[in-house]
Amino acid sequence: MQLLIQQLLNGIALGAVYGLFAVGFSLILAKMGILNVAHGTFATWGALSSYWLVSEQGLSFWAALVIGVAFAGALGVAADLVAFEPLRRRNAGTFAPIIASIGIWIVLLTLAEAFSGPTATSYPTESVPTEPIRVGGLLLLPAQVISVLALVATVTAIHLLLTRSRFGAAVRAVSVDPRSATIVGVNARRVLVTVAFLAAAIAGLAGILAALSDNNVSFGIGEALLLKGFAAVVVGGYGDIRGAALLGVAIGVLEVMSAQYISSGFRDAITFGVLLVVLVFRPQGIFGERQLVRA
Amino acid sequence: MITLQFAGVNALFALAVYASLWTGVLSLAPVFFGAVSAFTFGYFAGTLGMTPLLGLLLGAALGAALGAVTAGLLIRLDSHYLAMATIAMVLIGRVLILNLPEQTGGASGTLVPGDLGTWAWLIGTLLVAAYLMARLAGSRFGLAADAVREDPAVAETLAISPRRIQFVGMVISGVLGGAAGILQSSFLRYIGPDTFYTHLGFVTLAAVVLGGAFHWLGPIVGAVVFTILPELLREPMGEYDRVVTGVLLVVIIIYMPRGLVDVRRLRLVRSGWWRRDGPAPGGPDQGEPTAARAEVAP
Amino acid sequence: MSELAVDIVGLTKAFGGLTAVDDVTIQVPPRRIHGILGPNGAGKTTVLNMVSGFIQADSGRLDVLGQDVTGMRPFQIARRGVGRTYQNIRLFPGMTVLETVVAGAYGQRRSTIAGALLMSPAERRERREMRARAADLLDRVGCRAPHSALAETLSYGDQRRVEIARALATNPRVLLLDEPTAGMNDAESQEVGQLLVELRESGLTLILIEHNMRLVEDFCETVSVMNSGALLAEGAPTWCLEQDKVKEAYFGKRSDAARIATLRRARRGPGGS
Ligand SMILES: Nc1ncnc2c1ncn2[C@@H]1O[C@H](COP(=O)(O)OP(=O)(O)OP(=O)(O)O)[C@@H](O)[C@H]1O
Ligand SMILES: [Mg+2]
């Protein structure tokens, strides 16, 4: 029982990172209609930049976290300015942005590889919180607590922002039709850039927390997150970030539980099995209303 | 010389990507098809021994079967999800290889016989593939594929079932991807978890985009350029040569969305539309005439 | 069940809050040229879209040539003999005039992929025949542009003709035309009218949306007039166009307030005919 609860907590913490990444990924997919496969590299660069700030520049972890998140957000904005905006202006259609995002993925991944070198490292132990918290026989690592808090805070903030604020209304207008939105006085460019920033910044946060939880900073962080994040978005359903966040957590729990009770080799296989089953039988996702299947 | 051989193999992979893009499906699945056929070939060649021709046919058949299964499961997805699902297949392929060490050698990989790694086999296979594509262009299937890619909704009112066409495209993509995987492994003689991974997918896709996804010559031209270019850049750019691939991909898709081999542009030039009083192409409601107008809801 | 070529009963479609088509019933016997009229935004195109399966109706029933096709996919409806053109011309970019029409013949062809790969004589013969047939169709619709030109580079008139030829290539028994003469001059419009008559003589049923009243009066045997999604009147074109409510819906008249009042009244009585 003790073990079960402990593993459940571990799963939730792991899943919180997946959920966080999925929130950003789904934000840009649902609100801007862009399947951005470079999203994983934003996470990688969030982690790499914060690592560099901590270990090379001697910044505190928290300062590095903030700057790393902002840096990832800036990369997202740059991607939008350099690639997605020109395509939007040319009305280039469905595939062009995916292909462009693959180009960005290649660039950012190659640079990350060159920047970090082939071997993985981790944040210097003295600079990050490591003291475990004990709650009646259960053991919680600070990274786990931070991840869960970060997910809850981010989802709440983004959800309120999208549903309750004027900015949210503007986002909705732009995501339906940027041109008409402009006509009714929304600054579509600013909305798009802000969404791009938010989505990428959240990815950066997820990357940093993944590196912190795993005790491992490497250029491969983003790839793993991309897969899990995609699974969470697909299974959770398109369009609602709460679904993506919840499914991210579920995937984390599923992974930890299957590693504990079935076999660690099956860990990934089970996630992908679930992904496949949902793609085939319920392509709109568990919570999805809007039909994404080709009509 | 070695580089040119890889250009040939990449051209096959690029043709495989082209086969499904032709029907309006953006898919990196051929890389996965190639991985499965190569590791299967490695396994059987290692345990049973296998003649080269049999290996190649096995790869093509296996690819076709995988293509059919993939299409059966995924073709009805929205094009975004479909594209992402095929990228996920490539990422998952690596996980599978690492988790099946008995069959694949896991992280340390497998040795593969190099009988097929010769110019003769490469050129022979490429010629067969090009012939295949050339025959299909302009056939009943080919015109239907063009129509589905340009405007699936309109194609459907011409009694064309887009899913059926896309299914066939995916099977052809499987045949070419499977065969390409066998040849690739034979040239390398060693295959590991990273052999058929994102990098191959990127180069392949870049080749199709640069060369042009609207004529079968496009992917071949693109593959040659994209295999030789990094070699030329390796000297001045070192480990950054791939950055050029990425940048080019973005630049081409923005400024030259129909690629180098652009039949439409040739036809425009030939028919001299600017001298006629007809409307310029891409008039009021036409938007950018790429794959794209696709999903526009009726 | 019926001897009607097209039997639309109680078709309804809403986009969000807007009921674009509201309980519309249109019945067209075979070998008839039937017009659908109405001001902009009346819901005419939406009706055509539902008949061709392009969009799904919210409710209502749709029979074509005696078969229930409600809820069928567009390609299934097309296989049952319905062809169509588009108001905002939708030709395939990159295809030549001839290719476009040959692509329309997809359902008429029997050759297989194996046949194409093996260069079977049957497949090659079929390719030749299809090209010849497409050329015939282009002549028939009066398209005089070179067959090797890109379809998207033609004049609007010729683009519309190519669309008609492409639809005819599917060998339809019911042809739906959405404003086929938009952008054509009077002489060209009359040519299209003649074509409609010829097609009717060869056994087709034609439903066309048309704003050119002269064409409607000259060539349509019956019309349905729509306004704000609802059917306003149906019958012979001259008779329909003389109805007050039709005139008002169409041209507006008196003060706007009066017009709106009339529209309200017209909407309250469903069907209207
Ligand atoms: N796909 C769609 N989504 C939302 N609204 C639509 C859609 N198609 C049509 N409408 C709306 O439905 C109404 C009827 O449109 P429809 O195109 O059928 O009119 P129409 O009679 O063909 O007009 P026109 O003479 O201008 O072609 C319009 O108000 C239009 O804006
Ligand atoms: Mg209309």
Side-chain angles (χ1 to χ4, degrees):
Chain A
M1 197 57 202
Q2 182 84 4
L3 181 66
L4 183 70
I5 296 173
Q6 178 66 56
Q7 290 295 44
L8 190 65
L9 290 177
N10 291 346
I12 291 173
L14 176 67
V17 176
Y18 296 161
L20 207 49
F21 182 85
V23 165
F25 190 63
S26 124
L27 196 62
I28 206 161
L29 178 62
K31 302 300 173 212
M32 293 168 67
I34 295 174
L35 176 82
N36 187 355
V37 295
H39 209 69
T41 55
F42 299 155
T44 306
W45 273 103
L48 289 183
S49 60
S50 65
Y51 167 77
W52 181 77
L53 289 169
V54 172
S55 66
E56 308 281 320
Q57 306 299 313
L59 255 65
S60 82
F61 174 72
W62 299 107
L65 182 135
V66 172
I67 300 176
V69 167
F71 181 63
L75 286 178
V77 172
D80 194 70
L81 294 179
V82 170
F84 302 137
E85 177 58 20
L87 290 173
R88 219 176 273 129
R89 234 181 292 122
R90 275 152 217 266
N91 212 355
T94 326
F95 291 155
I98 304 181
I99 290 168
S101 79
I102 290 178
I104 297 166
W105 184 7
I106 303 174
V107 172
L108 291 180
L109 180 65
T110 310
L111 293 179
E113 219 171 325
F115 181 79
S116 75
T119 50
T121 69
S122 59
Y123 292 109
T125 33
E126 66 284 0
S127 61
V128 293
T130 48
E131 193 57 34
I133 305 159
R134 284 172 211 282
V135 186
L138 296 174
L139 194 75
L140 288 175
L141 296 172
Q144 298 182 312
V145 179
I146 298 170
S147 301
V148 174
L149 290 179
L151 178 69
V152 172
T154 306
V155 170
T156 313
I158 298 286
H159 185 68
L160 289 179
L161 187 67
L162 288 179
T163 53
R164 298 287 157 81
S165 72
R166 281 195 51 177
F167 175 74
V171 171
R172 250 170 291 134
V174 171
S175 75
V176 172
D177 181 357
R179 252 171 240 154
S180 335
T182 311
I183 291 166
V184 299
V186 176
N187 184 341
R189 272 308 297 144
R190 198 161 66 201
V191 169
L192 290 166
V193 166
T194 313
V195 172
F197 179 86
L198 284 176
I202 296 171
L205 181 60
I208 294 172
L209 294 178
L212 184 67
S213 313
D214 263 7
N215 213 10
N216 175 354
V217 182
S218 81
F219 66 88
I221 290 176
E223 249 81 316
L225 283 177
L226 183 68
L227 253 185
K228 309 292 160 62
F230 171 62
V233 170
V234 169
V235 178
Y238 178 87
D240 191 331
I241 57 160
R242 292 173 300 178
L246 201 62
L247 260 298
V249 173
I251 289 173
V253 172
L254 195 68
E255 274 191 7
V256 171
M257 290 300 173
S258 50
Q260 173 73 35
Y261 294 103
I262 304 175
S263 135
S264 57
F266 275 98
R267 197 177 135 146
D268 289 315
I270 286 179
T271 312
F272 301 136
V274 172
L275 173 64
L276 194 64
V277 169
V278 172
L279 271 178
V280 171
F281 293 104
R282 205 176 150 76
Q284 75 273 39
I286 293 176
F287 304 117
E289 302 150 33
R290 179 169 155 186
Q291 219 189 352
L292 244 192
V293 192
R294 270 183 267 180
Chain B
M1 263 339 202
I2 301 291
T3 305
L4 270 181
Q5 291 183 331
F6 284 113
V9 179
N10 286 343
L12 266 184
F13 273 115
L15 275 175
V17 169
Y18 166 78
S20 58
L21 204 51
W22 190 5
T23 65
V25 172
L26 177 62
S27 149
L28 284 192
V31 175
F32 176 78
F33 302 153
V36 176
S37 72
F39 277 96
T40 312
F41 177 58
Y43 180 73
F44 282 120
T47 52
L48 302 174
M50 197 176 267
T51 63
L53 183 61
L54 192 63
L56 202 57
L57 291 179
L58 169 92
L62 200 59
L66 284 172
V69 172
T70 309
L73 292 177
L74 300 180
I75 251 352
R76 58 220 162 93
L77 295 178
D78 160 82
S79 61
H80 279 83
Y81 277 13
L82 185 49
M84 186 66 212
T86 62
I87 293 175
M89 281 168 75
V90 176
L91 301 183
I92 292 166
R94 188 170 185 276
V95 175
L96 283 178
I97 292 163
L98 288 173
N99 282 304
L100 294 170
E102 301 273 299
Q103 290 78 25
T104 65
S108 45
T110 308
L111 292 176
V112 179
D115 318 343
L116 286 163
T118 65
W119 276 109
W121 281 107
L122 177 65
I123 301 222
T125 315
L126 253 181
L127 281 178
V128 170
Y131 167 81
L132 224 137
M133 290 312 206
R135 286 306 304 166
L136 284 179
S139 74
R140 177 175 184 244
F141 166 81
L143 283 175
D146 289 338
V148 168
R149 186 246 289 272
E150 298 287 10
D151 194 334
V154 170
E156 217 176 331
T157 60
L158 300 174
I160 299 169
S161 162
R163 285 196 193 141
R164 195 190 156 98
I165 297 296
Q166 291 170 339
F167 182 90
V168 174
M170 196 66 113
V171 172
I172 298 172
S173 176
V175 169
L176 295 172
I182 302 282
L183 284 178
Q184 175 87 313
S185 64
S186 251
F187 274 116
L188 292 170
R189 290 174 183 242
Y190 159 84
I191 49 177
D194 290 327
T195 309
F196 301 94
Y197 199 46
T198 47
H199 182 59
L200 180 61
F202 293 158
V203 171
T204 304
L205 188 70
V208 179
V209 172
L210 170 77
F214 293 80
H215 190 278
W216 55 269
L217 263 176
I220 298 178
V221 172
V224 172
V225 174
F226 259 116
T227 318
I228 295 175
L229 191 68
E231 293 297 324
L232 298 179
L233 291 170
R234 190 144 298 154
E235 197 65 30
M237 304 224 18
E239 56 191 333
Y240 296 102
D241 62 324
R242 285 181 197 178
V243 171
V244 177
T245 312
V247 171
L248 270 180
L249 206 49
V250 175
V251 170
I252 296 161
I253 200 67
I254 296 176
Y255 297 102
M256 226 170 59
R258 280 191 174 238
L260 288 174
V261 184
D262 183 351
V263 185
R264 177 171 169 269
R265 195 176 46 208
L266 288 177
R267 284 171 167 173
L268 279 177
V269 170
R270 211 178 49 204
S271 66
W273 56 268
W274 61 85
R275 269 181 266 120
R276 268 178 230 288
D277 47 8
D285 351 280
Q286 295 194 321
E288 181 60 40
T290 49
R293 283 205 306 150
E295 235 63 22
V296 173
Chain C
M1 75 166 222
S2 59
E3 64 280 23
L4 295 171
V6 175
D7 188 0
I8 302 168
V9 180
L11 219 53
T12 300
K13 177 77 192 180
F15 295 110
L18 173 88
T19 308
V21 173
D22 191 359
D23 192 22
V24 164
T25 296
I26 297 175
Q27 294 175 315
V28 186
R31 293 167 159 263
R32 167 78 56 91
I33 304 181
H34 183 86
I36 300 183
L37 310 182
N40 291 117
K44 308 178 294 293
T45 299
T46 308
V47 169
L48 231 57
N49 281 344
M50 287 189 282
V51 175
S52 60
F54 214 66
I55 59 175
Q56 289 291 322
D58 295 339
S59 63
R61 181 188 159 93
L62 179 64
D63 281 28
V64 172
L65 301 162
Q67 285 186 63
D68 183 1
V69 298
T70 321
M72 276 192 193
R73 309 276 319 156
F75 73 90
Q76 295 169 313
I77 296 181
R79 278 179 199 166
R80 282 165 179 74
V82 178
R84 72 165 291 179
T85 66
Y86 300 85
Q87 177 176 355
N88 51 341
I89 305 167
R90 288 177 76 162
L91 291 165
F92 303 118
M95 278 206 210
T96 65
V97 169
L98 197 72
E99 280 172 353
T100 306
V101 180
V102 175
Y106 177 81
Q108 305 300 308
R109 301 175 68 169
R110 291 290 154 257
S111 64
T112 59
I113 291 195
L117 295 184
L118 301 174
M119 284 214 226
S120 82
E123 201 264 351
R124 282 156 44 150
R125 183 168 2 96
E126 192 191 77
R127 280 196 202 201
R128 274 197 307 277
E129 284 170 4
M130 287 300 147
R131 279 203 289 270
R133 182 165 164 265
D136 283 348
L137 284 172
L138 284 164
D139 278 350
R140 193 163 166 200
V141 300
C143 172
R144 282 169 288 268
H147 295 173
S148 63
L150 272 183
E152 55 183 315
T153 60
L154 305 188
S155 68
Y156 283 128
D158 272 337
Q159 291 195 18
R160 294 206 181 274
R161 291 187 188 96
V162 173
E163 269 210 342
I164 298 176
R166 180 178 69 183
L168 287 175
T170 66
N171 205 10
R173 295 190 49 206
V174 174
L175 183 59
L176 315 173
L177 301 165
D178 199 341
E179 307 197 6
T181 65
M184 290 188 187
N185 63 29
D186 261 1
E188 289 176 314
S189 302
Q190 288 297 317
E191 273 179 49
V192 170
Q194 288 306 327
L195 173 66
L196 299 183
V197 173
E198 282 168 32
L199 291 174
R200 197 257 317 273
E201 294 313 314
S202 69
L204 265 77
T205 306
L206 295 119
I207 300 185
L208 76 148
I209 298 175
E210 189 50 74
H211 284 301
N212 180 338
M213 286 311 146
R214 178 147 167 245
L215 200 73
V216 170
E217 293 191 60
D218 286 355
F219 295 100
C220 292
E221 291 140 297
T222 49
V223 297
S224 303
V225 186
M226 294 180 65
N227 188 30
S228 310
L231 212 55
L232 215 54
E234 62 184 357
T238 350
W239 180 82
C240 281
L241 290 174
E242 268 158 21
Q243 303 302 300
D244 281 344
K245 53 186 175 187
V246 172
K247 281 191 198 156
E248 282 160 33
Y250 230 96
F251 308 107
K253 116 175 180 186
R254 293 171 304 203
S255 68
D256 269 349
R259 182 173 170 226
I260 288 163
T262 338
L263 287 181
R264 285 228 185 84
R265 229 176 301 129
R267 289 203 67 172
R268 221 171 290 134
S273 65

Coordinates of all heavy atoms in Angstrom, one line a residue, chain B residues 298, chain C residues 15 18 20 38-46 87 179 211, ligand 1:
Chain B
P298 N -15.7 22.7 -46.7 CA -16.5 23.2 -47.8 C -17.6 24.2 -47.3 O -17.9 24.2 -46.1 CB -17.3 21.9 -48.2 CG -17.1 21.0 -47.1 CD -15.9 21.3 -46.4
Chain C
F15 N -25.6 26.9 -39.5 CA -24.2 27.2 -39.2 C -24.2 28.0 -37.9 O -24.5 29.2 -37.9 CB -23.5 27.9 -40.3 CG -23.4 27.2 -41.6 CD1 -24.2 27.6 -42.7 CD2 -22.6 26.1 -41.7 CE1 -24.1 26.9 -43.9 CE2 -22.5 25.4 -42.9 CZ -23.3 25.8 -44.0
L18 N -27.0 30.5 -37.3 CA -27.7 30.9 -38.5 C -28.3 29.7 -39.2 O -27.5 28.8 -39.6 CB -26.6 31.6 -39.4 CG -27.1 32.0 -40.8 CD1 -27.8 33.3 -40.8 CD2 -26.0 31.9 -41.8
A20 N -29.1 28.4 -42.3 CA -28.8 28.8 -43.7 C -29.9 28.2 -44.6 O -30.2 28.8 -45.6 CB -27.4 28.3 -44.1
G38 N -32.8 33.4 -55.7 CA -32.9 34.0 -54.4 C -31.8 35.0 -54.2 O -30.7 34.9 -54.9
P39 N -31.9 36.0 -53.4 CA -30.9 37.0 -53.2 C -29.7 36.4 -52.5 O -29.7 35.2 -52.1 CB -31.6 38.0 -52.2 CG -32.6 37.2 -51.5 CD -33.1 36.2 -52.5
N40 N -28.6 37.2 -52.4 CA -27.4 36.7 -51.8 C -27.6 36.2 -50.4 O -28.4 36.8 -49.7 CB -26.3 37.8 -51.8 CG -25.9 38.2 -53.2 OD1 -26.0 39.3 -53.6 ND2 -25.3 37.2 -53.9
G41 N -27.0 35.1 -50.1 CA -27.1 34.6 -48.7 C -28.4 33.8 -48.5 O -28.7 33.5 -47.3
A42 N -29.2 33.6 -49.5 CA -30.5 32.9 -49.3 C -30.4 31.5 -48.9 O -31.3 30.9 -48.4 CB -31.3 33.0 -50.6
G43 N -29.2 30.9 -49.2 CA -29.0 29.5 -48.9 C -29.0 28.5 -50.1 O -29.0 27.3 -49.9
K44 N -28.9 29.1 -51.3 CA -29.0 28.3 -52.5 C -27.8 27.4 -52.6 O -27.9 26.2 -52.8 CB -29.0 29.2 -53.7 CG -30.0 30.3 -53.7 CD -30.0 31.2 -54.9 CE -28.7 32.1 -55.0 NZ -28.6 33.1 -54.0
T45 N -26.6 27.9 -52.4 CA -25.4 27.1 -52.5 C -25.4 26.0 -51.5 O -25.0 24.9 -51.7 CB -24.1 28.0 -52.4 OG1 -24.1 28.9 -53.5 CG2 -22.9 27.2 -52.5
T46 N -25.9 26.4 -50.3 CA -25.9 25.4 -49.2 C -26.8 24.2 -49.6 O -26.5 23.0 -49.3 CB -26.4 26.0 -47.9 OG1 -25.6 27.2 -47.7 CG2 -26.3 25.1 -46.7
Q87 N -19.6 27.6 -57.4 CA -19.8 29.1 -57.6 C -18.4 29.8 -57.7 O -18.2 30.6 -58.6 CB -20.6 29.6 -56.4 CG -20.8 31.1 -56.5 CD -21.8 31.5 -55.3 OE1 -22.3 30.7 -54.6 NE2 -21.9 32.8 -55.2
E179 N -24.3 29.0 -60.4 CA -24.0 30.2 -61.1 C -23.1 30.0 -62.3 O -22.0 30.6 -62.4 CB -23.5 31.3 -60.2 CG -24.4 31.5 -59.0 CD -24.2 32.8 -58.2 OE1 -23.4 33.6 -58.7 OE2 -24.8 33.0 -57.2
H211 N -28.4 34.0 -61.4 CA -28.9 35.3 -61.1 C -29.4 36.0 -62.4 O -30.0 37.1 -62.3 CB -27.8 36.1 -60.4 CG -27.6 35.8 -59.0 ND1 -28.6 35.9 -58.1 CD2 -26.5 35.3 -58.3 CE1 -28.1 35.5 -56.9 NE2 -26.9 35.1 -57.0
Ligands
LIG1 N1 -19.6 26.7 -44.4 C1 -20.3 27.7 -43.9 N2 -20.1 28.1 -42.6 C2 -20.8 29.1 -42.0 N3 -21.7 29.8 -42.7 C3 -22.0 29.5 -44.0 C4 -21.3 28.4 -44.6 N4 -21.8 28.3 -45.9 C5 -22.7 29.2 -46.0 N5 -22.9 29.9 -44.8 C6 -23.9 31.0 -44.6 O1 -25.1 30.5 -44.9 C7 -25.9 31.5 -45.6 C8 -26.3 31.0 -46.9 O2 -25.2 30.9 -47.8 P1 -25.2 30.4 -49.3 O3 -23.8 30.3 -49.8 O4 -26.0 29.1 -49.3 O5 -26.1 31.5 -50.0 P2 -26.4 31.7 -51.5 O6 -27.8 31.7 -51.6 O7 -25.6 30.7 -52.3 O8 -25.8 33.2 -51.8 P3 -25.0 33.7 -53.0 O9 -26.0 34.2 -54.0 O10 -24.3 34.9 -52.5 O11 -24.1 32.7 -53.5 C9 -25.0 32.7 -45.7 O12 -25.4 33.6 -44.7 C10 -23.6 32.2 -45.5 O13 -22.8 33.1 -44.8

